Amino acid sequence: MSLPADCLFCRFVSGEIETELVGQSERAIAFRDINPQAPLHVLVIPREHHADVAALAASDPQGLADLVTLAQEVAFEQADGEYRLIFNSGPSAGQSVFHVHGHVLGGERLGWSPA
Ligand code: AMP
Ligand code: ZN
């Protein structure tokens, strides 16, 4: 597992950069996206650094399962429990932070224009 010194989300995990958590578990944390695309837009990230969701699935399947569980908990606590969970993987798919994160979107009836 490589741990880039300049990883923004690792700094959130370590507390080097303070962020208000809306949920957490042993393996993961949740915080609001700085540029929300829906009334509920939270990012769920593992405490361990993995570049993308496939890397997380390959090296820590339980960590991925825990991430999904945290996403659902946040959706129930912050909205009505219905949500969309998106993992952008690779720059052309929109990934800009290379510490895996799930976008938890909800809080309204969502449209569907993902491409
Ligand atoms: P992606 O484009 O899928 O890699 O998602 C990265 C997300 O991180 C974007 O939705 C950004 O709005 C969000 N983001 C970037 N910087 C911050 C920050 N400091 N705090 C919270 N969210 C951030
Ligand atoms: Zn990281």
Side-chain angles (χ1 to χ4, degrees), residues 1-11 16 48-51 97-99:
M1 182 184 68
S2 66
L3 208 172
D6 59 350
C7 176
L8 175 65
F9 288 176
C10 279
R11 289 177 174 172
E16 187 185 331
E48 271 190 10
H49 183 92
H50 300 274
V97 179
F98 293 86
H99 179 134

Side-chain angles (χ1 to χ4, degrees), residues 8-9 12 31-35 43 88 94-97 101 103:
L8 175 65
F9 288 176
F12 287 172
F31 53 90
R32 293 192 186 284
D33 195 292
I34 203 170
N35 182 22
L43 301 177
N88 294 329
Q95 187 176 10
S96 60
V97 179
H101 49 281
H103 295 258

Side-chain angles (χ1 to χ4, degrees), residues 12-81:
F12 287 172
V13 170
S14 71
E16 187 185 331
I17 301 176
E18 267 189 50
T19 189
E20 187 185 340
L21 301 185
V22 296
Q24 60 181 309
S25 64
E26 193 184 329
R27 291 165 181 252
I29 63 171
F31 53 90
R32 293 192 186 284
D33 195 292
I34 203 170
N35 182 22
Q37 303 299 312
L40 174 68
H41 188 173
V42 164
L43 301 177
V44 288
I45 72 170
R47 294 180 190 272
E48 271 190 10
H49 183 92
H50 300 274
D52 59 30
V53 67
L56 175 62
S59 67
D60 184 8
Q62 189 59 49
L64 176 57
D66 288 1
L67 207 57
V68 175
T69 298
L70 181 59
Q72 179 171 264
E73 282 174 11
V74 167
F76 271 110
E77 283 166 14
Q78 304 284 331
D80 63 1

